[in-house]
Amino acid sequence: LSENWDTLAARPDPDASILLLNPLWKPYCYDPSIDGDPLRYQKIYGGFASWVAKETDAAWLVVGQRMNLYEENCGRSAYDSLVAFATEAHQRVSELEGAPRTIVSVDVEDLYGFPAKQGRCVLATPEECLADRAELVEGLVADHLGLDSYPSWALAEGEKWDSGWLTRIADLRPDLPPVISGTGFPSRDLFSKQGSCIPLVESSEQDQLLWLDRVLATASSRSMDLVVWSWLRDPVDG
């Protein structure tokens, strides 16, 4: 998917002498179900995932990342079609000898209704929003359910995570062993530049350590095999 989870990723031009990406090769919020050949790119993606698994000899392979963001941006029909892409990839990879364990992940904060968006979970508590959006997790197929959680969105809107922030999502699919496929928290305040710098997230090293402790405690309590910690970092001073 594209970096904004709102259409397919850019496609390289096969006739170009250098790597030239075309982000407009498919329409915004592409819905394979209304394509003239709805299974074409699903099958291509499955073949690509199988090729990647063989080329890298990976132990783990994410076949779909933060899938529910596509539903939030593009609606249910398009989302269900993209879920089928991930399912195809899982099935193709699983046929390989020594196949890696596959992960299909969800965006935890989106399921709780963060960041707040007009027309979604209006006046609902995070738990009520989760109950409304829980069905998005039902059709996912992989070896593991990945939890991608960046709770600074919730913190910025006044919501403090509790001990069940991650486990409630994992409990939606008791048949899929959960892993933390991506999480992180800043160790300092973040700002957004909109003409001038304005506060985006208030944080500290203490907040970061509190979240890390919560993640590790959850992973330990569920005997998770994988925790991925990542955060945006500018390597250039100034």
Side-chain angles (χ1 to χ4, degrees):
L1 297 177
S2 70
E3 61 184 9
N4 294 319
W5 285 271
D6 56 7
T7 195
L8 295 189
R11 182 181 187 180
D13 183 349
D15 299 321
S17 58
I18 61 174
L19 180 61
L20 185 63
L21 299 178
N22 177 14
L24 303 177
W25 73 288
K26 283 297 177 183
Y28 180 77
C29 281
Y30 172 67
D31 183 351
S33 69
I34 60 175
D35 195 299
D37 186 354
L39 299 182
R40 178 184 179 188
Y41 297 108
Q42 175 180 316
K43 292 178 180 178
I44 290 174
Y45 180 61
F48 173 70
S50 179
W51 175 81
V52 169
K54 288 185 289 187
E55 285 291 305
T56 62
D57 194 25
W60 299 84
L61 188 68
V62 179
V63 294
Q65 184 185 38
R66 302 170 78 178
M67 295 293 293
N68 47 304
L69 293 182
Y70 205 77
E71 186 276 339
E72 174 57 28
N73 287 318
C74 301
R76 188 58 187 264
S77 175
Y79 171 76
D80 288 341
S81 294
L82 265 295
V83 168
F85 274 50
T87 301
E88 175 84 13
H90 162 73
Q91 292 172 342
R92 293 283 293 275
V93 169
S94 297
E95 294 170 357
L96 299 174
E97 183 177 352
R101 286 186 277 179
T102 61
I103 300 170
V104 62
S105 79
V106 294
D107 185 284
V108 169
E109 282 63 51
D110 173 78
L111 292 174
Y112 281 121
F114 297 104
K117 294 182 180 179
Q118 186 176 3
R120 178 182 65 164
C121 298
V122 178
L123 301 180
T125 67
E127 290 79 7
E128 290 169 342
C129 188
L130 175 61
D132 184 57
R133 295 178 62 71
E135 64 178 2
L136 298 175
V137 186
E138 293 177 359
L140 301 178
V141 178
D143 295 324
H144 294 268
L145 175 65
L147 308 181
D148 278 47
S149 182
Y150 296 90
S152 55
W153 284 120
L155 185 67
E157 296 180 23
E159 180 68 27
K160 281 286 189 179
W161 62 81
D162 58 17
S163 60
W165 192 257
L166 297 171
T167 56
R168 275 192 291 271
I169 310 301
D171 289 343
L172 297 176
R173 289 295 303 272
D175 57 317
L176 292 184
V179 295
I180 307 296
S181 47
T183 193
F185 205 87
S187 61
R188 51 195 266 182
D189 296 344
L190 300 182
F191 296 85
S192 175
K193 187 175 183 180
Q194 298 178 3
S196 61
C197 289
I198 61 174
L200 182 63
V201 174
E202 295 182 4
S203 189
S204 65
E205 290 186 2
Q206 182 180 12
D207 287 333
Q208 185 184 64
L209 290 173
L210 285 172
W211 177 246
L212 179 59
D213 286 344
R214 170 54 52 203
V215 168
L216 295 178
T218 300
S220 177
S221 68
R222 295 302 178 98
S223 300
M224 295 185 187
D225 293 331
L226 182 70
V227 174
V228 177
W229 178 274
S230 62
W231 191 256
L232 297 176
R233 177 178 180 271
D234 188 348
V236 180
D237 291 339

